[in-house]
Amino acid sequence: MNRIHVRNFKSIRDQSLELGKLNVFIGGNGSGKSNLIGVFQLMNRVVNQELQTYTGVMGGAAGILYLGRKHSSSLQIELEFCDGPHVNGYQIELVPTEGDRFVFKREQLTYQDKLRHAERPFEVQLGSGHQEARLKSSAENIAQWVRQDLDGYRIYHFHDTSANAAVKQIGNLDDNRFLRPDASNLAAFLYRLQATDRTCFDNIQETIRQIAPFFDGFNLSPSRLNSDKIRLEWKERGSDAYFSASALSDGTLRFICLTVLLMQPELPAAVLLDEPELGLHPAAIVLLASLLQMAAARSQVLVATQSVTLVNQFTPDEVWVAEREDNASVFKHLARAEVSRWLESYALGELWEKNVLGGRP
């Protein structure tokens, strides 16, 4: 995705962003970083015809619209995808109903070939008044490209490492097509990688050892009691015993999940992470930055963070600052020229900490 324009989504009143391959969003609590990540979650649910379910979970249309329905009459999102001179677009406008749900006031696709210097993009109207998106059922070629992109947008949260966390439980062996957003199928996904891409699997293990030197490797096999089930197990160096995920520290388990996500051979169209640094050692955060940059060479990556250590690893061209102005979220893309004289003496995260960049943590 190259451009996104959002109107009236939670704290975002009206913002247009030109996105790169790696986009790191910084700012204080309540600045709107997580809300921007949430836009992509909404669009993923829209394309999968789950708008009404999403609206209900979020407490209704009033809880999604900027300052509620009395202030915002509709929610509008415009997306633009560029492939060389070809520009595909998808636009929706949602209006609240009396039942505090949403219906489509407008849903359309656009296409433009910039080599032909078309004055206006070609438009395909998908109608109005419907409750779920018609994008999925459209036979237009443009729809196919947009669907493929948006269907791969997932927000990954590996924050839950409690005793009842899904990643620590036994799971289905055949749940291995893609890594789930909460890593609940981590064991099954790794088991498939071990069988189909041993080089990738070994690289993942070696990366984990850089942060957890005690880690010898995974022990992945179907349950002896039920061959359709599998649980995450690993071996400690110098020991013949095998341990479950419950024996890992919270930070180590989260780092393992992040490593598998970012080093997997086939990344989704976009990787979205909200505060991935939670519970990580500073050395793990530095390595995480490298993993994010490598992943951005193969996919689009969007990260919201509060970590000065993580931001220290990036360049101004990769960083956006989120702030509240007039009770609305504003996103400013840093330019190297703005902070070049400061970068001679300070890292980017240090400038953020000193409030040179704004969006003070």
Side-chain angles (χ1 to χ4, degrees):
M1 180 182 299
N2 300 84
R3 188 181 71 87
I4 180 169
H5 192 172
V6 183
R7 295 187 184 93
N8 299 328
F9 178 80
K10 295 189 177 180
S11 66
I12 305 173
R13 181 171 56 200
D14 191 344
Q15 288 288 287
S16 183
L17 288 76
E18 302 281 344
L19 298 173
K21 293 291 287 182
L22 177 58
N23 307 270
V24 179
F25 293 89
I26 64 174
N29 293 326
S31 60
K33 305 184 305 297
S34 296
N35 287 341
L36 181 65
I37 298 292
V39 172
F40 295 91
Q41 182 181 32
L42 166 63
M43 294 308 295
N44 179 267
R45 301 296 291 273
V46 165
V47 75
N48 285 293
Q49 298 182 322
E50 298 173 347
L51 172 62
Q52 302 310 320
T53 301
Y54 173 86
T55 305
V57 169
M58 292 296 166
I64 298 172
L65 288 166
Y66 172 72
L67 296 184
R69 355 181 2 167
K70 290 185 178 180
H71 189 277
S72 301
S73 59
S74 70
L75 164 62
Q76 301 172 51
I77 299 176
E78 301 176 4
L79 310 175
E80 186 176 279
F81 310 84
C82 293
D83 182 11
H86 307 288
V87 183
N88 295 316
Y90 180 56
Q91 301 89 32
I92 64 170
E93 182 174 3
L94 306 173
V95 293
T97 66
E98 292 184 359
D100 204 28
R101 299 288 176 152
F102 279 119
V103 295
F104 284 82
K105 181 179 180 179
R106 175 173 59 96
E107 182 182 14
Q108 73 174 28
L109 296 158
T110 58
Y111 170 75
Q112 188 173 17
D113 185 345
K114 292 190 174 181
L115 288 179
R116 297 183 179 180
H117 306 292
E119 294 183 3
R120 290 176 54 85
F122 173 71
E123 296 181 355
V124 178
Q125 301 295 334
L126 299 180
S128 62
H130 45 291
Q131 294 188 345
E132 297 293 350
R134 293 174 177 170
L135 178 69
K136 201 165 189 176
S137 59
S138 174
E140 296 286 341
N141 289 334
I142 313 169
Q144 178 182 349
W145 289 106
V146 173
R147 281 197 305 266
Q148 287 178 348
D149 208 87
L150 287 177
D151 195 42
Y153 280 55
R154 296 184 181 91
I155 300 178
Y156 294 88
H157 281 287
F158 305 137
H159 297 173
D160 184 8
T161 51
S162 65
N164 296 320
V167 68
K168 295 182 177 181
Q169 311 307 315
I170 193 165
N172 295 325
L173 184 66
D174 60 357
D175 184 12
N176 56 31
R177 291 182 59 195
F178 59 86
L179 184 66
R180 295 197 175 276
D182 61 353
S184 57
N185 66 335
L186 180 63
F189 186 75
L190 279 168
Y191 183 73
R192 180 174 71 82
L193 281 185
Q194 179 181 250
T196 61
D197 195 331
R198 188 69 200 201
T199 298
C200 177
F201 181 79
D202 289 343
N203 287 339
I204 287 172
Q205 293 191 119
E206 184 57 39
T207 301
I208 293 168
R209 292 186 194 108
Q210 293 183 47
I211 299 304
F214 58 84
F215 173 82
D216 189 50
F218 293 109
N219 177 53
L220 300 167
S221 60
S223 170
R224 293 180 181 179
L225 299 177
N226 186 340
S227 60
D228 293 329
K229 300 291 185 177
I230 190 170
R231 184 192 300 270
L232 187 71
E233 291 186 342
W234 60 281
K235 183 180 177 182
E236 185 169 349
R237 283 186 171 175
S239 172
D240 293 329
Y242 292 101
F243 302 91
S244 70
S246 297
L248 294 165
S249 70
D250 292 350
T252 301
L253 182 55
R254 292 187 187 114
F255 183 77
I256 289 173
C257 295
L258 288 163
T259 301
V260 174
L261 166 65
L262 298 170
M263 293 187 69
Q264 64 180 295
E266 296 181 8
L267 285 166
V271 175
L272 298 104
L273 290 162
D274 194 1
E275 297 188 11
E277 72 277 1
L278 182 66
L280 298 189
H281 185 275
I285 293 176
V286 173
L287 184 51
L288 171 62
S290 296
L291 295 177
L292 290 168
Q293 289 166 329
M294 288 189 293
R298 301 186 290 133
S299 179
Q300 190 168 43
V301 178
L302 292 90
V303 181
T305 182
Q306 295 272 32
S307 171
V308 171
T309 302
L310 185 61
V311 176
N312 274 339
Q313 315 309 313
F314 300 116
T315 66
D317 297 338
E318 297 166 329
V319 176
W320 294 77
V321 178
E323 291 189 293
R324 283 288 189 114
E325 295 181 4
D326 298 327
N327 206 28
S329 296
V330 175
F331 302 92
K332 178 184 178 183
H333 190 203
L334 288 183
R336 188 180 297 273
E338 297 177 31
V339 293
S340 58
R341 65 186 181 92
W342 293 98
L343 291 174
E344 296 176 3
S345 304
Y346 301 98
L348 201 58
E350 293 173 321
L351 294 179
W352 177 31
E353 197 170 30
K354 292 177 182 297
N355 204 28
V356 174
L357 307 180
R360 187 168 185 170

